[in-house]
Amino acid sequence: MKSFGGKVLFLDRSDINTDEIIPARYLTEISKEALKPHMLEDLKLGGFDPKDPKNQEAGVIVTRANFGCGSSREHAPWVFEINDINVVIASSFARIFRQNMFNCGMLAIELSEADIDKLFGFRHAAARIDVDFENNSLTISSGNESSTFHYQIAEFDKALIKAGGWVEFADARY
Amino acid sequence: MAMTLAEKIFKSRLRDEPFPGTKVLDIDVVMCHEITTPIAINDLVARGKDRVFNPDKIKVVIDHVTPAKDSKTAQQGKILRDWARRHNITDFFDIGRNGVCHVIFPEKGFIRPGYTVIMGDSHTCTHGAFGAFAAGVGTTDLEVGILKGVCAFREPKTIRINITGTMPEGVYAKDVILRVIRELTVKGATDCVMEFHGSVVKGMSMESRMTLCNMAIEAGGTSGVCMPDEVTADYLWPFIATEYKDRKAALEDFKRWWSDEGCEYVKVIDIDVSHMEPQVTYGYKPDEVKNISEMEGTPVDQVYIGSCTNGRLEDLRVAAQYLKGRQIAPTVRGIVSPATPKIFREADQEGLIKIFMDAGFCVTNPTCGACLGMSNGVLAPGEVCASTTNRNFNGRMGKGGMVHLLSPAVAAATAIEGKIADPRKFRKEGI
């Protein structure tokens, strides 16, 4: 089982859509590698610079409500995957994006708005988050400080990750 | 037990429930276009699973960038074309016969009440206008749909939206759905089906119902749906005439999908349109909507009429009524894209194409291109477009560009004035 976690990229806005995550002008690419430099290129968020090298160091995104709304493009999870981000934590997700994450073997974790606020409390520190996949929990840490949160995950979504994605799961079963 | 339309379809098409809360449905129609499908094809080939579950249930179109604009888009078309040929997929629509997916597939009669429909495209919710469950999915779900003819869903809840009153002059289906999204917000219908009811919906054509359902996703909805009725039966009749003895029999059959009296809705919204103004978006989210009186006078650089939301014949007729005998402002670029060759031909026969051209519009071939800033009308940074499309996200029609979503009537009035204008100020001409 691969590990889920890494340094945190905080995106303090709701309703971040998949056009902002990966603009349609790059949908003519047919390799994930080609998407890599364009992650979050059109994100409308004060103070955010898509070219900041620190973005490349992140392994986890923490954000607000309705993340991944808009287009169905799976290029959105792919551009995270190719940038070594395999966890997105939000107070809610758009349906298609959420399923695309699990279908790709990545984690879309929902926490309450109060818990998301607590995670944002670490935004000015060099925080990292590590997910305990088996136990449905995650720990955020910075220096000596750390905090652990439990999350709910659908059994199906957990099974997809264990099976190595939906294609293998479905081809074996149907 | 009283059930909603979506619950009835889920019950009827249920293949498996691998875990509590997850329902795997048999899919009746898997639709494909050249942006999200080639990667699915390449992945199936790489996995040694280059198969299709049933070539007759797979419908394919090249629509997003057509004609191909460069080598990359040509390659996407080629992958799709080669794949359709090697698997004997006969419902494949290439240049000359292609149109915007969510307009051409219903036009071909591929959608029926009670069907399950998926596509790697978020506006697949459009097809719920026929009383189907139609959902946009990602490439992996599409891939499994192609391979196995199934798709997994959490069973959606249903929101009932009652649209009543009398549609005022200058107000159309697009205004109604913008008004609904304004009320629900961009996440208000997440994991829900949006059911459209009420006298206004009953009186709408299939085209208008498709405009309503098309933008369900902009409120987060899984599918928009309308109850299949006489209007549905009339629209579908050329395709189902051999299956039923008459339209009445078809209608009786369709009624089994209707939501039952007493079924469970998570929310009920009532909207009386009688005093509604045309609606226009002002920001970068589709729920950022104002009455036109608050938006009038906003200068625009481009006016776009087309897309899966408003590129149908009915839309072109509405715009042409305002444009006939008038000229668009010299500061504005007007672009109209009839959404299918059939619409293009009929618009030509009715004299609409001449009206658009006389007014100073550029008429393009059917394509999705401009709506998502891929081709045929991309904006420069700082430019503003008044558009009949469905998304006003930052950069949607081109990096640094701004989009105002509005109806074909508002688009036509705006083109004439060069700034957002109320169509009710203009006398409509006979066309």
Side-chain angles (χ1 to χ4, degrees), chain B residues 82-404:
Chain B
D82 291 349
W83 169 75
R85 283 180 188 151
R86 77 176 173 265
H87 292 291
N88 300 313
I89 297 168
T90 50
D91 288 319
F92 172 64
F93 303 96
D94 207 337
I95 190 95
R97 295 183 173 81
N98 61 354
V100 174
C101 50
H102 306 306
V103 184
I104 198 166
F105 289 147
E107 187 183 279
K108 297 286 177 188
F110 295 154
I111 316 299
R112 307 294 164 77
Y115 268 20
T116 48
V117 182
I118 61 167
M119 182 174 198
D121 191 288
S122 60
H123 292 106
T124 306
C125 51
T126 309
H127 309 285
F130 291 84
F133 174 78
V137 297
T139 288
T140 303
D141 274 337
L142 176 72
E143 194 172 328
V144 170
I146 288 168
L147 185 64
K148 291 288 170 179
V150 298
C151 194
F153 292 95
R154 297 182 187 181
E155 183 152 356
K157 297 176 169 65
T158 298
I159 296 173
R160 181 183 176 109
I161 299 155
N162 299 313
I163 316 279
T164 55
T166 309
M167 287 281 266
E169 181 64 33
V171 172
Y172 298 90
K174 179 64 162 287
D175 303 297
V176 174
I177 188 61
L178 287 173
R179 175 72 184 73
V180 169
I181 295 163
R182 182 178 180 172
E183 179 131 347
L184 273 173
T185 79
V186 289
K187 60 176 186 291
T190 301
D191 287 316
C192 292
V193 164
M194 290 162 66
E195 252 186 40
F196 296 99
H197 289 267
S199 56
V200 171
V201 179
K202 280 200 185 79
M204 278 183 179
S205 64
M206 285 312 300
E207 285 80 357
S208 287
R209 293 178 190 183
M210 283 190 261
T211 299
L212 281 188
C213 292
N214 172 268
M215 289 188 72
I217 182 70
E218 308 316 331
T222 305
S223 185
V225 298
C226 299
M227 300 300 118
D229 60 7
E230 293 86 348
V231 178
T232 321
D234 285 347
Y235 184 100
L236 288 175
W237 188 247
F239 310 105
I240 60 174
T242 55
E243 295 166 32
Y244 297 100
K245 80 175 193 310
D246 54 26
R247 291 178 202 214
K248 202 164 160 252
L251 179 62
E252 281 311 308
D253 185 38
F254 292 173
K255 279 184 181 171
R256 70 192 152 110
W257 300 110
W258 287 14
S259 291
D260 296 326
E261 193 85 22
C263 66
E264 195 188 328
Y265 294 111
V266 282
K267 196 172 196 175
V268 178
I269 292 175
D270 296 295
I271 292 176
D272 183 337
V273 298
S274 303
H275 303 289
M276 208 175 90
E277 287 186 24
Q279 305 285 296
V280 179
T281 64
Y282 61 89
Y284 295 100
K285 298 193 296 169
D287 61 356
E288 294 179 327
V289 177
K290 287 183 176 173
N291 293 339
I292 193 158
S293 52
E294 299 173 83
M295 292 298 294
E296 271 181 292
T298 307
V300 305
D301 303 287
Q302 179 170 299
V303 172
Y304 183 79
I305 299 174
S307 85
C308 56
T309 314
N310 282 127
R312 300 182 179 85
L313 187 62
E314 179 179 289
D315 303 312
L316 303 189
R317 283 179 185 148
V318 166
Q321 283 177 328
Y322 294 100
L323 291 168
K324 189 177 182 185
R326 296 191 173 98
Q327 293 284 306
I328 66 173
T331 52
V332 162
R333 309 186 296 272
I335 302 171
V336 56
S337 174
T340 68
K342 180 170 183 274
I343 294 166
F344 202 134
R345 185 173 284 122
E346 288 173 0
D348 188 36
Q349 286 163 353
E350 292 185 13
L352 311 183
I353 299 298
K354 183 173 186 309
I355 292 171
F356 282 110
M357 293 184 75
D358 287 349
F361 265 81
C362 161
V363 185
T364 82
N365 65 302
T367 174
C368 313
C371 171
L372 68 169
M374 294 193 84
S375 65
N376 289 44
V378 181
L379 301 177
E383 287 192 325
V384 177
C385 184
S387 182
T388 69
T389 54
N390 42 54
R391 287 198 173 128
N392 54 348
F393 298 155
N394 185 36
R396 173 74 178 179
M397 291 184 81
K399 193 173 176 67
M402 166 98 196
V403 181
H404 295 287

Side-chain angles (χ1 to χ4, degrees), chain A residues 13-15 17-20 23-32 41-44 65-66 69-75 78 92-96 98-100 102-104 110 113 154-157 159 164-174, chain B residues 15-20 22 24 35-36 38-39 42-43 47 49 51 69 72-73 75-76 79 120-122 135-141 143-144 147-148 150-154 186-187 190-191 217 222 284-285 372-374 391 393-396 398-399:
Chain A
R13 213 198 81 196
S14 289
D15 305 320
N17 63 66
T18 54
D19 274 76
E20 294 178 288
R25 54 187 173 273
Y26 304 117
L27 303 188
T28 60
E29 301 294 348
I30 48 176
S31 82
K32 294 179 185 177
E41 193 171 290
D42 278 0
L43 178 62
K44 207 166 178 61
N66 196 34
C69 59
S71 159
S72 64
R73 65 192 66 163
E74 204 159 301
H75 306 68
W78 295 336
S92 64
F93 290 94
R95 176 189 64 88
I96 304 174
R98 181 188 66 212
Q99 200 56 53
N100 286 347
F102 290 113
N103 285 350
C104 291
E110 284 185 359
E113 285 181 16
E155 283 182 58
F156 175 64
D157 294 333
W166 173 222
V167 177
E168 294 303 327
F169 182 101
D171 199 30
R173 191 167 170 116
Y174 304 112
Chain B
R15 163 82 77 96
D16 185 23
E17 204 167 347
F19 297 97
T22 299
V24 176
I35 297 297
T36 52
I39 301 180
N42 285 351
D43 192 63
R47 289 174 192 267
K49 300 182 196 292
R51 310 188 298 270
K69 65 175 179 181
K72 285 176 181 171
T73 49
Q75 180 65 11
Q76 288 179 311
I79 292 169
D121 191 288
S122 60
V137 297
T139 288
T140 303
D141 274 337
E143 194 172 328
V144 170
L147 185 64
K148 291 288 170 179
V150 298
C151 194
F153 292 95
R154 297 182 187 181
V186 289
K187 60 176 186 291
T190 301
D191 287 316
I217 182 70
T222 305
Y284 295 100
K285 298 193 296 169
L372 68 169
M374 294 193 84
R391 287 198 173 128
F393 298 155
N394 185 36
R396 173 74 178 179
K399 193 173 176 67

